[in-house]
Amino acid sequence: MSGSHDHAGGGPVGDLTSRVHRLDPRAKIVGLVAVTLVGVSTPISAWEVWVACGLVLAAVAAAGRVPARVIWVRARVVLPLVIVVAAFIPFFRGGEVVASLGPLDVSREGLEVLGSVAAKATIGTVSAVLLGATTSVPAIIRGLETMRVPRLLTLIAAFMYRYLFVIAEELRRMRSALASRAYRPRTALQAAALGRMATALFLRTFSRGERIYLAMLARGYSGRMPRLDPLRLARADAVFVGLILLTLLPLRVIS
Amino acid sequence: MHIPDGFLDGSVAATMAVPAVAAVAYGVRRAGRTLDDSKVPLLGVTAAFIFAVQMLNFPVAGGTSGHLMGGALAAVLLGPWLACIVMAVVVAGQAFVFADGGITALGANIFNMGVVGALGVGLAMVLARRILPANRTVFLSVAGVGAWASVMLGALLASAQLGLSGTVPFATVLPAMLGVHALIGIGEAVITVAALSAVLATRPDLIDGAGFGPLSTAPLTPAAEVAS
Amino acid sequence: MSCAVHARGLTHRYPGGHLALEGIDLHIGHGERVAVLGPNGAGKTTLMLHLNGLLTATAGALEVAGLEVCRRSLGELRARVGLVFQDPDDQLFMPTVHEDVAFGPLNMGLGRDEVAARVDAALAAVRMSDAADRAPHQLSQGQRRRVAIATVLAMDPMLLVLDEPSANLDPRARRELVGLLAEIDRTMLIVTHDLPFAAELCERSLILSAGRLVADAPTDDVLADDDLLAAHDLEMPAGIALDLITRRPRPGAEPAELSLRAGG
Amino acid sequence: MSCAVHARGLTHRYPGGHLALEGIDLHIGHGERVAVLGPNGAGKTTLMLHLNGLLTATAGALEVAGLEVCRRSLGELRARVGLVFQDPDDQLFMPTVHEDVAFGPLNMGLGRDEVAARVDAALAAVRMSDAADRAPHQLSQGQRRRVAIATVLAMDPMLLVLDEPSANLDPRARRELVGLLAEIDRTMLIVTHDLPFAAELCERSLILSAGRLVADAPTDDVLADDDLLAAHDLEMPAGIALDLITRRPRPGAEPAELSLRAGG
């Protein structure tokens, strides 16, 4: 169950000047989370709603000119987990047996669970990928902040994002240095050197945190992060959210 | 594991969001009272640190590998409530930036991978201080056992949530999940103990409070003083 | 306001007991460009942190940019004195270059238009206007250093203090930095152990050693005095010939040499 | 075993698509000291990571210290090739210098006595024997660099690869490092953009630019060719006179100059 985070992902792609990219981050958060909520709350009997969700996502991707390859590369983190669910299908009991694999029966119920989980996970993951591909992380954080997420959390998130690359790069170099000194753990019990390395990294991180604070003070920081221009919703934002809701909600209600 | 969208039943997802939001909200309120503003960048870089160390892979049985979660480490270094906040930001960041873990499963993921470890290990530290002698061995043992237990508890909770949602058959999944995570937990414990013993050796002041961490107690050391 | 820095018996003892600065008497006039040299642990960084009130003297007095350094003057002081830290990654803590450069002016309470104008001017001064919307981690080391200088220039400080500005730069980035600093018309204090760098930019050099000011003289004299340098763990890098180094004039000082600089 | 590095058409393309090395043909003989020069992003670090199998070629072949670089040879390869990273803090993480230097030999599965002997010898070679029980973070930058070299020397590598060894050193620490490296009797590859440093230590220099090997010649010729340097974003620092730089001989090469080095 390990998914290490590949930092090659993340960050806007596609046509950075597209209408989707230029939308207010709040509109994209609301719109794409709405697609996820509709998709996730839809039962398999109303599968046509999933198709509608997929079409909406495809339209967003097309309008933002987000290449399919990027969506595939970033969304495939979810694939191993869907495969795990698939592996457990034969263990579902009850329901009509539609196929037998040796001693294991595959029931209709099991297949329905798999189909449902795969569809919902795809819709949710692709929504998140499209949000990230059309919106910079700082913009997402600003959007969340305006949507009443506590300021302490958005501030931590902003610093986290800024220093993630710096610290991940330090970690990568430290791991290379370990490997080049013939460190090749074969079991979890030999992982202690990783712990020591983590401490060295933490102490570096800690003193960096202190130096950052000094640098902030030196430029007049007095406990309040200065605010930039307020985000302003435009008509395009209302249209974006409106179109998504008008497409999906009625269908969801009648299905 | 990061539970994606659609793996949890709506009611399970909503139920799990309650304790997650409660813990983080309480942490934020508490921080608002006790935290001075010099600590915000420190918390931010610590979150980046946790995010980064979650990339630390180590071998588990059969050619697979596990990675560090860091909840126990965060609990000891930051104290339980700040650890809750930092872990929540890390897990949310993974969902928003890397589509790893679903937005609708965010509550469950924050609870399983953050709150449980942070509060569980934090609580264990407080209890240990009350009833056990205060020394290095006890401290490291509690941290190690806590790290292992937090991984197991997280796996147990995730299995239960998936089982209750009808996504996987609970009785079949549980042994597999616990089996794998018993080994991943060993890696977590070994790394956590090694990391903390190194902190004890070099900067014991940082874990002075043994459970309430430096950020709420120790004064800021001016970087210049460290440098000279 | 002809006095940029005026210290009388400036002394700093850290809470741990370490005496980092001891009886510094120093006068730096408006418009000077001065190098602060000295081995590691000499107190250079401590002195720098005093200059905008991040530390305060445990004895003696310090006046910077016309202000007595004390708690009450902090806000004004930090607007008048710009510190550029050694590691640009410490200084650039906001998600984008633009936000970072705007951070100081916004803290000064300036209006939106004024902030925007200052950000543009500061980025233009360090030739980084194109990078306004980029994230710091997308920039090269030399570019980061220049943006770090812009974050401070945007506050329009009277005194600019730079800590090891040439650290980690390759020769080309270092030369570009020299050219850029030579064009900035501010009183400047450059803390460095890169002696040729000091020679290129500063007419006057100080040596700080074990918390004391042990030399204060024209840079040429300081760098030519091998015994003085050796006594304080300083030395010129191998292969450096001082007479091959051209000092960059201060802006407006000698127009005749300005064209020469543009060519070099 | 007269061949230390032998690359034929070595090519590396990162998963993201970036072509970092393209058709490198290179032969380095046993006992040579070679500088790898080039601007940032030229592929220097990528090349270095290939030399002990931290990266593997996407095309072409590489043989290092008598071993074909491939998955099977990794363990042996890492014992034969020592990498010294640019920032000693990336390399040193154990509580004491002694434990850090022992880490590599212990990973190689050596016995206790052998490890102890190697640690002593490695620390002596970098003149840090007195620091064995100290914590790395208590050491100066120059001392840390020397300990980082010891951590690798203790593995008794045939080939020593150093990444920007002179970065962040003050002139004295830099001079001490030059003296120390001149005495180490190994095949040595020095990746740097400090051209005078290359001039002091290496007879032969390569220039890597945009992933290609664009020069491979005696260091004196390379550094005297201003057009070549400029074409690849390299330049000598201001004030450097090449004729003031003395090349350090390889150990045992010319005993007459050894005494000269001890004096300088």
Side-chain angles (χ1 to χ4, degrees), chain D residues 1-209:
Chain D
M1 195 140 337
S2 70
C3 152
V5 177
H6 189 55
R8 292 177 307 273
L10 178 66
T11 298
H12 189 85
R13 188 184 290 277
Y14 281 105
H18 173 61
L19 190 63
L21 291 178
E22 195 179 350
I24 304 283
D25 290 306
L26 177 63
H27 184 95
I28 294 175
H30 190 63
E32 282 197 89
R33 219 153 50 197
V34 179
V36 182
L37 313 173
N40 288 332
K44 303 193 298 291
T45 304
T46 306
L47 175 63
M48 163 169 157
L49 295 177
H50 275 79
L51 293 175
N52 88 354
L54 288 169
L55 290 175
T56 46
T58 47
L62 177 64
E63 206 180 283
V64 181
L67 292 168
E68 191 72 29
V69 177
C70 62
R71 190 161 278 282
R72 260 169 308 121
S73 64
L74 279 189
E76 183 58 24
L77 187 70
R78 288 184 183 157
R80 290 197 200 169
V81 181
L83 298 194
V84 181
F85 288 76
Q86 175 168 356
D87 185 348
D89 288 338
D90 291 338
Q91 198 143 1
L92 306 178
F93 58 90
M94 298 292 272
T96 66
V97 165
H98 181 278
E99 288 169 84
D100 237 320
V101 179
F103 182 79
L106 286 173
N107 285 331
M108 291 164 67
L110 299 176
R112 198 169 297 254
D113 295 341
E114 172 72 9
V115 170
R118 287 199 177 193
V119 170
D120 291 346
L123 285 175
V126 300
R127 296 174 212 140
M128 290 295 291
S129 302
D130 295 344
D133 294 323
R134 296 179 67 188
H137 66 87
Q138 297 170 326
L139 304 176
S140 74
Q141 188 71 12
Q143 290 172 320
R144 268 183 260 183
R145 178 91 45 178
R146 275 144 60 191
V147 172
I149 293 171
T151 63
V152 165
L153 280 184
M155 296 172 76
D156 194 19
M158 297 168 62
L159 172 67
L160 200 59
V161 185
L162 299 111
D163 190 14
E164 298 289 357
S166 65
N168 275 323
L169 295 187
D170 59 37
R172 165 183 289 217
R174 184 176 176 285
R175 174 168 52 82
E176 287 169 351
L177 181 67
V178 167
L180 192 129
L181 291 178
E183 280 172 20
I184 293 175
D185 186 13
R186 311 274 153 160
T187 313
M188 219 179 272
L189 222 64
I190 300 180
V191 176
T192 188
H193 52 225
D194 181 344
L195 304 191
F197 192 81
E200 281 185 86
L201 280 166
C202 303
E203 280 156 35
R204 175 180 166 198
S205 288
L206 318 173
I207 296 183
L208 212 59
S209 186

Side-chain angles (χ1 to χ4, degrees), chain C:
Chain C
M1 195 139 334
S2 70
C3 151
V5 176
H6 190 55
R8 292 177 306 275
L10 177 66
T11 298
H12 189 86
R13 188 185 290 278
Y14 279 108
H18 174 62
L19 190 63
L21 291 176
E22 195 178 350
I24 305 283
D25 290 307
L26 177 62
H27 184 95
I28 294 174
H30 190 63
E32 283 195 88
R33 218 151 52 195
V34 179
V36 182
L37 313 173
N40 288 333
K44 302 191 300 289
T45 305
T46 305
L47 176 63
M48 163 169 157
L49 294 177
H50 274 79
L51 292 175
N52 95 351
L54 289 172
L55 289 175
T56 46
T58 47
L62 178 64
E63 211 180 295
V64 182
L67 291 167
E68 190 73 30
V69 176
C70 62
R71 190 159 278 284
R72 258 169 310 120
S73 65
L74 279 189
E76 183 58 24
L77 186 70
R78 288 180 183 161
R80 290 197 200 170
V81 181
L83 299 193
V84 181
F85 288 78
Q86 175 168 356
D87 184 348
D89 278 330
D90 294 339
Q91 183 127 8
L92 306 179
F93 42 77
M94 299 291 276
T96 66
V97 166
H98 180 277
E99 288 169 80
D100 234 315
V101 180
F103 181 85
L106 286 171
N107 282 331
M108 291 163 69
L110 299 176
R112 203 147 298 216
D113 296 340
E114 171 72 9
V115 170
R118 286 198 176 197
V119 170
D120 291 346
L123 285 176
V126 299
R127 296 170 213 145
M128 289 295 292
S129 302
D130 294 344
D133 293 322
R134 299 179 68 186
H137 68 84
Q138 296 170 325
L139 306 177
S140 75
Q141 192 69 13
Q143 291 173 321
R144 273 180 239 191
R145 178 88 46 179
R146 274 144 61 190
V147 172
I149 292 172
T151 64
V152 164
L153 281 184
M155 298 173 76
D156 194 19
M158 299 168 62
L159 172 66
L160 202 58
V161 185
L162 300 111
D163 192 11
E164 298 290 357
S166 64
N168 274 324
L169 296 187
D170 60 35
R172 166 182 286 217
R174 183 177 176 285
R175 174 168 53 82
E176 287 170 352
L177 181 69
V178 168
L180 194 125
L181 291 178
E183 279 172 19
I184 294 175
D185 186 13
R186 313 274 153 160
T187 314
M188 218 178 271
L189 222 63
I190 300 180
V191 176
T192 188
H193 54 225
D194 182 343
L195 304 190
F197 192 80
E200 280 186 87
L201 280 166
C202 303
E203 281 156 33
R204 176 180 165 198
S205 288
L206 318 174
I207 295 182
L208 211 59
S209 184
R212 293 174 159 280
L213 195 61
V214 296
D216 181 351
T219 303
D220 291 338
D221 297 350
V222 170
L223 297 191
D225 188 341
D226 288 340
D227 295 339
L228 174 69
L229 294 180
H232 301 291
D233 276 354
L234 294 166
E235 62 182 50
M236 293 293 277
I240 281 281
L242 261 182
D243 49 351
L244 292 180
I245 296 178
T246 325
R247 165 128 343 102
R248 309 300 181 106
R250 280 185 275 138
E254 283 157 79
E257 287 202 41
L258 277 173
S259 58
L260 191 143
R261 184 204 330 143

Side-chain angles (χ1 to χ4, degrees), chain B residues 2-227:
Chain B
H2 294 77
I3 301 176
D5 286 313
F7 277 48
L8 294 184
D9 180 74
S11 57
V12 173
T15 310
M16 290 318 296
V18 173
V21 169
V24 174
Y26 178 74
V28 169
R29 259 191 63 199
R30 208 183 132 90
R33 283 201 311 272
T34 58
L35 194 71
D36 84 68
D37 56 76
S38 71
K39 305 304 194 297
V40 175
L42 215 45
L43 288 177
V45 291
T46 306
F49 163 79
I50 296 284
F51 204 133
V53 294
Q54 291 201 350
M55 294 186 281
L56 274 185
N57 280 33
F58 50 82
V60 184
T64 61
S65 68
H67 71 88
L68 193 69
M69 290 221 271
L73 194 56
V76 180
L77 293 173
L78 303 175
W81 295 106
L82 290 178
C84 270
I85 296 176
V86 163
M87 295 302 292
V89 174
V90 169
V91 173
Q94 288 160 347
F96 275 100
V97 184
F98 296 104
D100 200 1
I103 305 284
T104 54
L106 200 50
N109 283 333
I110 287 177
F111 192 78
N112 301 344
M113 293 186 289
V115 173
V116 164
L119 296 191
V121 174
L123 187 68
M125 283 286 166
V126 174
L127 286 179
R129 274 169 75 82
R130 292 234 177 101
I131 56 175
L132 295 171
N135 63 44
R136 193 187 140 86
T137 315
V138 167
F139 169 76
L140 292 178
S141 311
V142 173
V145 173
W148 184 81
S150 67
V151 171
M152 291 298 275
L153 203 52
L156 174 69
L157 283 165
S159 311
Q161 291 151 10
L162 292 170
L164 280 173
S165 303
T167 304
V168 291
F170 178 67
T172 324
V173 164
L174 189 65
M177 280 285 274
L178 291 189
V180 173
H181 282 83
L183 297 175
I184 293 180
I186 289 175
E188 181 93 10
V190 167
I191 294 178
T192 304
V193 168
L196 291 176
S197 72
V199 178
L200 276 181
T202 44
R203 289 290 301 273
D205 55 306
L206 296 186
I207 36 182
D208 222 322
F212 290 99
L215 295 175
S216 47
T217 56
L220 180 84
T221 331
E225 191 176 352
V226 177

